[in-house]
Amino acid sequence: MIETSLQLALDSAPFLLKGAVFTVVLSLGGMFFGLLLGFVLALMRLYGFTALRWLSRIYVSFFRGTPLLVQLFMIYYGLPQLGIQLEPLPAALIGFSLNMAAYTSEILRAAIASIDRGQWEAAASIGMSRTQTLYRAILPQAARTALPPLGNSFISLVKDTALAATIQVPELFRQAQLITARTFEIFTMYLAAALIYWVLATVLSHFQGRLEARVNQHEQDS
């Protein structure tokens, strides 16, 4: 029985790895666009006028306070009722990006706010504008602070992409579901999928650790 299960896992590996490609694409895309939007939201919260600050607060509150699965269903199944039809992959990418933006905005906001106000005063004393100070002095320091939680959020996103299976995206978990429906080898296929997720998370954790070590070493050397 073990040999049969192992052979099934090996035979199914190409399909699972094909799904893993979708998982990686969703993770990278969701993190990239989530970071871009999150950065804008963080700046709105910190330096925008009152209406923008409240808009940012409401956005973050909504996307952090509602389940990601519900958000995906609203985008993929709900928007067509408003005349907006999306394919599964773009719908999932939009959902993950919008959700991730809420979390990255808070991470970036906290990192920027943690920089001592004296940095702003020192930069102003040598004639730097607020924009120059933000991009040349504040953001590089804030990036070092934000790196660990951003890395953890990315790893969590990789695992959360399994929810895309519910809107028909052929990612890793969806492929495991399809194979299970055909073979009825539930434990074997889900274990194989879990191992691939584990490998992806382990590799990402390794690179995160190396990146943090390099950044910290650069800070010590400087």
Side-chain angles (χ1 to χ4, degrees):
M1 181 176 179
I2 295 179
E3 293 181 358
T4 303
S5 298
L6 180 59
Q7 186 60 48
L8 174 61
L10 293 175
D11 292 340
S12 303
F15 300 98
L16 294 176
L17 293 177
K18 180 181 178 181
V21 172
F22 281 90
T23 294
V24 172
V25 169
L26 283 173
S27 301
L28 292 175
M31 192 67 189
F32 176 76
F33 292 112
L35 267 176
L36 290 181
L37 180 56
F39 179 63
V40 173
L41 290 169
L43 293 183
M44 288 170 56
R45 179 80 175 271
L46 288 169
Y47 309 116
F49 52 84
T50 303
L52 289 180
R53 289 200 298 270
W54 275 105
L55 182 62
S56 176
R57 285 175 180 267
I58 293 171
Y59 179 99
V60 171
S61 177
F62 177 81
F63 280 96
R64 292 207 307 174
T66 57
L68 175 55
L69 182 60
V70 174
Q71 296 164 20
L72 291 174
F73 272 47
M74 288 175 60
I75 294 170
Y76 184 66
Y77 294 111
L79 287 182
Q81 293 188 343
L82 303 178
I84 304 174
Q85 188 77 41
L86 295 172
E87 293 296 318
L89 184 60
L93 183 57
I94 291 172
F96 289 129
S97 299
L98 293 177
N99 182 268
M100 185 54 57
Y103 290 91
T104 57
S105 69
E106 287 298 279
I107 293 172
L108 294 173
R109 181 189 64 81
I112 294 172
S114 69
I115 305 302
D116 189 86
R117 293 294 303 177
Q119 299 280 344
W120 292 93
E121 298 170 0
S125 67
I126 60 175
M128 293 177 64
S129 66
R130 287 184 61 84
T131 301
Q132 290 175 324
T133 303
L134 178 65
Y135 285 97
R136 294 183 182 180
I138 304 301
L139 289 183
Q141 298 177 72
R144 289 193 289 270
T145 302
L147 182 58
L150 286 176
N152 293 335
S153 294
F154 184 46
I155 294 173
S156 295
L157 176 60
V158 171
K159 295 178 290 184
D160 287 342
T161 56
L163 294 173
T166 61
I167 59 171
Q168 313 305 316
V169 177
E171 48 73 60
L172 175 56
F173 183 61
R174 178 61 177 168
Q175 293 288 1
Q177 285 182 317
L178 294 175
I179 297 171
T180 297
R182 186 177 69 252
T183 64
F184 299 102
E185 290 286 345
I186 299 173
F187 182 80
T188 299
M189 295 318 306
Y190 288 151
L191 176 60
L195 290 175
I196 295 176
Y197 280 115
W198 182 32
V199 169
L200 290 174
T202 301
V203 170
L204 289 173
S205 296
H206 173 71
F207 281 108
Q208 178 187 354
R210 293 190 61 179
L211 182 59
E212 290 178 17
R214 176 174 294 187
V215 170
N216 292 332
Q217 182 63 43
H218 176 74
E219 183 179 8
Q220 292 173 4
D221 292 341
S222 59

